[in-house]
């Protein structure tokens, strides 16, 4: 208990606003009515502590609050919104104390909240790239698709994918994928498409990618996965999991999608969610893939789950290995018209982590 009190004091002290002599005036406008509620995924009468996934969706309520801080499982989250999702990873049934503070210009108020969560299996980091060695991407982890593909990789795109340092390089702890306007091998643009095919492939788990997105009309960056049996069964029978797609012509939005033989082309199974500062700040793009569902998160906030009631090869090819892909396309069916003044733009990836 002493440790918890010390953590609470430290947690709040780090962000306290200086108080003026008009304490009573400031206290009158401090956030009030602060509370937090939790919805454990899969919780019911027989499983009150959740279905074992460890996923809990939280909602904070407060009057006159402009931002929040949450100390959860020894991790501090800074939030501008009042909802967030958190995945507990410690196996078994465990109790957690959560500290929540609501802020405005006058200062903060805080509450303590406790809950019990059941995790069937502890998630362990099984693969990662922290991009901590300058130069070319690690060849033991990443390969390349090069060229234009068949009709621009099937989406009428305008770039030529290369394996040059001009288009993909690790610098100062981040991977930089750079799309450029330049004449190269008959194309007007170059870019890079990195993939882990044949180097790292997996079935089920959580993927976290911390990235800053490129800007500009016509850019179409993506963080996604493709079935490792692509070469034998083709697309879309292999299954495709689009963790994040972004269109420079539609700033402030990202999307996630699933492609299967029952949903391709028009992309029936997808969701668009709003985002801010996507080209100037890093965000975490995540997917949690289980035997029964695939859930997508932005900065640990869940916004879309795919869980078809009927699972067969047409709706659920996601029981086989998949590999990771990072790329920036230019133009094409989704990227749209390329800004005639476009010169170059970069997607920066701080890390890629996979847990099981």
């Amino acid at each position: 208990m002493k440790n918890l009190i010390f953590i609470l004091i430290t947690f709040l002290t780090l962000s306290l606003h200086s108080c003026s002599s008009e304490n009573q005036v400031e206290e009158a406008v401090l956030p009030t009515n602060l509370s937090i509620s939790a919805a454990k995924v899969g919780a019911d009468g027989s499983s009150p502590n959740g279905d074992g996934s460890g996923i809990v969706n939280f909602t904070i309520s407060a009057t006159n609050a402009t931002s929040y801080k949450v100390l959860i499982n020894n991790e501090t989250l800074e939030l501008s919104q009042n909802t967030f999702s958190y995945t507990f990873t410690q196996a078994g049934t465990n109790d957690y104390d959560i500290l929540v503070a609501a802020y405005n210009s006058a200062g903060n108020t805080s509450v303590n909240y406790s809950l019990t969560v059941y995790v069937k299996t502890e998630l362990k980091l099984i693969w990662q790239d922290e991009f901590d060695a300058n130069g070319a991407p690690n060849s033991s982890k990443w390969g390349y698709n090069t060229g234009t593909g068949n009709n621009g990789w099937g989406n009428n795109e305008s770039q030529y994918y290369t394996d040059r340092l001009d288009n993909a390089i690790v610098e100062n702890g981040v991977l930089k994928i750079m799309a450029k306007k330049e004449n190269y091998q008959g194309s007007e643009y170059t870019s890079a498409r990195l993939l882990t095919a044949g180097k790292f492939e997996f079935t089920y788990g959580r993927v976290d990618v911390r990235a800053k997105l490129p800007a500009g009309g016509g850019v179409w960056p993506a963080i996604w996965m493709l079935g490792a049996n692509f070469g034998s069964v083709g697309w879309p029978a292999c299954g495709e999991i689009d963790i994040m797609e972004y269109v420079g012509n539609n700033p402030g939005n990202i999307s996630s999608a699933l492609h299967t033989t029952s949903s391709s082309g028009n992309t029936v199974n997808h969701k668009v969610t709003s985002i801010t500062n996507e080209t100037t700040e890093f965000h975490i793009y995540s997917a949690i893939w289980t035997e029964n569902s695939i859930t997508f998160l932005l900065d640990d906030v869940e916004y879309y789950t795919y869980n078809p009631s009927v699972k067969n090869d047409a709706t659920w090819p996601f029981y086989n290995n998949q590999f990771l892909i990072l790329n920036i396309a230019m133009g094409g069916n989704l990227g749209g018209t390329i800004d005639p003044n476009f010169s170059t733009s970069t997607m920066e990836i701080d890390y890629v982590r996979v847990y099981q």
Side-chain angles (χ1 to χ4, degrees):
M1 185 64 181
K2 290 181 179 179
N3 288 338
L4 180 60
I5 293 172
F6 174 77
I7 291 172
L8 174 59
I9 293 172
T10 303
F11 172 64
L12 296 176
T13 301
L14 288 174
S15 300
L16 278 173
H17 295 271
S18 60
C19 297
S20 72
S21 59
E22 301 294 331
N23 287 332
Q24 291 183 343
V25 174
E26 289 200 354
E27 288 177 0
V29 294
L30 283 172
T32 58
N33 303 316
L34 175 60
S35 65
I36 183 171
S37 60
K40 306 167 192 175
V41 171
D44 55 27
S46 60
S47 303
N49 298 316
D51 61 4
S53 67
I55 304 172
V56 181
N57 296 313
F58 292 92
T59 301
I60 304 171
S61 178
T63 303
N64 295 326
T66 57
S67 63
Y68 308 91
K69 281 192 177 183
V70 180
L71 180 63
I72 183 170
N73 200 24
N74 295 319
E75 181 179 355
T76 300
L77 307 179
E78 298 187 14
L79 308 171
S80 57
Q81 73 280 359
N82 72 324
T83 60
F84 68 100
S85 178
Y86 191 86
T87 302
F88 295 89
T89 60
Q90 184 177 350
T93 301
N94 298 285
D95 297 326
Y96 297 92
D97 289 312
I98 301 170
L99 306 176
V100 184
Y103 290 81
N104 62 22
S105 59
N108 68 73
T109 56
S110 63
V111 295
N112 186 33
Y113 181 79
S114 298
L115 81 165
T116 303
V117 180
Y118 167 62
V119 177
K120 183 178 181 181
T121 304
E122 184 172 2
L123 289 177
K124 295 182 180 180
L125 185 65
I126 64 165
W127 188 91
Q128 66 188 121
D129 198 338
E130 303 293 327
F131 305 110
D132 51 9
N134 287 346
N138 189 333
S139 61
S140 70
K141 297 183 177 183
W142 301 98
Y144 300 84
N145 283 139
T146 58
T148 60
N150 180 15
N151 190 27
W153 300 98
N155 292 289
N156 299 305
E157 300 159 26
S158 299
Q159 77 288 334
Y160 190 104
Y161 285 124
T162 84
D163 58 3
R164 306 177 304 164
L165 293 178
D166 288 344
N167 295 111
I169 190 170
V170 177
E171 291 181 330
N172 301 318
V174 297
L175 168 66
K176 297 179 179 180
I177 297 178
M178 295 167 283
K180 297 184 176 184
K181 184 175 183 178
E182 59 176 333
N183 293 320
Y184 188 87
Q185 299 292 326
S187 295
E188 295 182 357
Y189 302 89
T190 61
S191 186
R193 174 160 146 161
L194 279 66
L195 63 163
T196 66
K199 301 174 185 289
F200 172 67
E201 299 166 353
F202 69 104
T203 304
Y204 309 136
R206 174 173 176 137
V207 179
D208 288 341
V209 179
R210 187 171 186 263
K212 184 190 300 182
L213 303 184
V219 298
W220 174 10
I223 299 167
W224 54 299
M225 301 192 291
L226 196 64
N229 58 352
F230 168 76
S232 58
V233 304
W235 183 92
C238 64
E240 177 181 325
I241 302 173
D242 294 331
I243 300 173
M244 187 287 305
E245 289 185 284
Y246 177 72
V247 176
N249 283 316
N250 185 25
N253 297 281
I254 61 165
S255 64
S256 298
L258 291 306
H259 295 276
T260 66
T261 54
S262 67
S263 171
S264 60
N266 290 330
T267 315
V268 174
N269 300 308
H270 78 289
K271 178 70 177 289
V272 176
T273 191
S274 60
I275 186 173
T276 58
N277 304 318
E278 67 274 16
T279 63
T280 57
E281 297 180 5
F282 284 93
H283 294 270
I284 300 174
Y285 306 96
S286 305
I288 299 174
W289 172 24
T290 72
E291 296 180 20
N292 299 308
S293 65
I294 301 172
T295 297
F296 300 94
L297 306 94
L298 171 61
D299 293 328
D300 263 336
V301 178
E302 174 186 331
Y303 60 90
Y304 176 48
T305 294
Y306 177 67
N307 184 9
S309 57
V310 176
K311 291 183 172 66
N312 52 39
D313 285 346
T315 62
W316 189 261
F318 305 113
Y319 55 85
N320 292 310
N321 277 349
Q322 297 242 330
F323 56 83
L324 297 161
I325 306 175
L326 307 171
N327 72 287
I328 303 176
M330 292 297 300
N333 297 349
L334 188 60
T337 302
I338 301 174
D339 184 344
N341 296 316
F342 178 87
S343 175
T344 183
S345 195
T346 302
M347 176 163 64
E348 298 184 26
I349 298 98
D350 181 33
Y351 59 73
V352 181
R353 299 170 182 169
V354 179
Y355 303 82
Q356 280 186 336

